[in-house]
């Protein structure tokens, strides 16, 4: 079973920055397309950003484009989400999710999530 | 953007009953890019169905998916106690990948 281990969440003030990480041990990480999906308290799921296995393809939800940057280091089996200019409505549990194969596809594996709270 | 609308918002049923959950899209897309997820309180979502009708690894056969075009259905043939949860549909054919707002299946 593929494990996804997120970290980096916490409390940050509006306008601040945070970087989330997601480690996926024991796999050939470059073979996995990855995404970040968030869930605001008591709300549904929202796809935030995705990246192909090589990192050549990235895409973002309109709500975060220009503020968030997804990246990966395949030598470290790690996915990142750099979040800048954070707003109160970015408060959510952030999940990393992935699949083996192409950029377009279902989210076969999920981490347990890391909570980001944006508040003054 | 493709918007997914799930109905009903809440389904109140008893163990052993059949659950039928609907997911309707704002525009037609290939059934090969429709997924269903289950989420229990305090847990991450879990993939149930991909390609509209294919069960993910380890998913019991009481879960089945069907549909095409704009209308998709998740059916749980006989509800087990562990099936009471929130269910989301998702299209992954084109970004932004969107989820429906969810259907909560609760114990009656």
């Amino acid at each position: 079973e593929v494990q996804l281990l997120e970290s980096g969440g916490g409390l940050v003030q509006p306008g601040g920055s945070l970087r989330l990480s997601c480690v996926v041990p024991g796999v050939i990480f470059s073979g996995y397309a990855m995404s970040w999906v968030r869930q605001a308290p008591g709300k549904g799921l929202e796809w935030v950003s995705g990246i192909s296995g090589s990192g050549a393809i990235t895409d973002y939800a309109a709500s975060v484009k220009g503020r968030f940057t997804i990246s990966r280091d395949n030598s470290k089996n790690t996915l990142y989400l750099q979040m800048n200019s954070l707003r109160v409505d970015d408060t959510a549990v952030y999940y990393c999710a992935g699949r083996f194969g192409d950029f377009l596809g279902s989210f076969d594996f999920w981490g347990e999530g890391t909570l980001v709270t944006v508040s003054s | 953007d493709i918007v997914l609308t799930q109905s009903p918002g809440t389904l109140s049923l008893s163990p052993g009953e059949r659950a039928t959950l609907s997911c309707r899209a704002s525009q037609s897309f290939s059934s090969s890019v429709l997924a269903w997820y289950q989420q229990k309180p305090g847990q991450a979502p879990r993939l149930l169905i991909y390609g509209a009708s294919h069960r993910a690894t380890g998913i019991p056969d009481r879960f089945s998916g069907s549909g095409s075009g704009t209308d998709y259905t998740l059916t749980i043939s006989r509800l087990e106690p562990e099936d009471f949860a929130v269910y989301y549909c998702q299209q992954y054919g084109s970004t932004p990948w969107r989820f429906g707002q969810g259907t909560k299946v609760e114990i009656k």
Side-chain angles (χ1 to χ4, degrees):
Chain A
E1 184 174 329
V2 179
Q3 281 193 303
L4 290 73
L5 306 169
E6 301 104 332
S7 61
L11 175 63
V12 61
Q13 292 188 333
S17 297
L18 212 55
R19 188 176 82 156
L20 306 183
S21 300
C22 173
V23 177
V24 188
V27 302
I28 302 176
F29 189 53
S30 60
Y32 288 76
M34 301 295 297
S35 278
W36 290 97
V37 177
R38 69 184 180 183
Q39 187 169 37
K43 303 298 184 182
L45 301 171
E46 179 189 17
W47 172 76
V48 172
S49 182
I51 188 168
S52 62
S54 66
I57 302 171
T58 60
D59 206 348
Y60 300 88
S63 58
V64 307
K65 192 170 287 188
R67 299 187 299 122
F68 290 11
T69 302
I70 192 171
S71 63
R72 63 192 298 156
D73 185 338
N74 287 342
S75 69
K76 295 182 178 179
N77 280 33
T78 303
L79 173 74
Y80 302 102
L81 185 68
Q82 178 66 44
M83 303 185 295
N84 298 331
S85 303
L86 281 161
R87 309 190 298 222
V88 172
D89 62 358
D90 292 319
T91 295
V93 174
Y94 284 73
Y95 297 100
C96 66
R99 65 184 306 275
F100 181 75
D102 296 338
F103 181 66
L104 296 178
S106 55
F107 300 138
D108 300 352
F109 314 108
W110 295 72
E112 290 304 309
T114 187
L115 176 63
V116 172
T117 303
V118 185
S119 174
S120 55
Chain B
D1 295 1
I2 298 175
V3 176
L4 301 176
T5 303
Q6 293 186 239
S7 61
T10 301
L11 202 50
S12 298
L13 295 168
S14 301
E17 289 194 293
R18 181 184 187 89
T20 303
L21 287 66
S22 174
C23 176
R24 178 162 289 178
S26 59
Q27 56 186 278
S28 180
F29 59 86
S30 168
S31 62
S32 65
V33 298
L34 190 283
W36 289 93
Y37 302 85
Q38 177 194 66
Q39 187 179 33
K40 298 178 181 179
Q43 295 185 17
R46 175 176 71 147
L47 176 67
L48 296 177
I49 301 286
Y50 64 94
S53 61
H54 303 280
R55 278 186 298 276
T57 302
I59 302 304
D61 61 7
R62 64 180 180 272
F63 291 92
S64 63
S66 63
S68 63
T70 60
D71 293 298
Y72 297 89
T73 300
L74 175 69
T75 301
I76 311 171
S77 59
R78 294 172 310 279
L79 282 164
E80 297 287 342
E82 62 268 27
D83 299 336
F84 291 92
V86 179
Y87 293 83
Y88 296 94
C89 59
Q90 182 227 355
Q91 72 81 20
Y92 50 86
S94 60
T95 58
W97 296 322
R98 287 188 182 271
F99 295 86
Q101 81 279 21
T103 290
K104 182 179 181 180
V105 179
E106 65 175 22
I107 299 176
K108 187 174 181 180

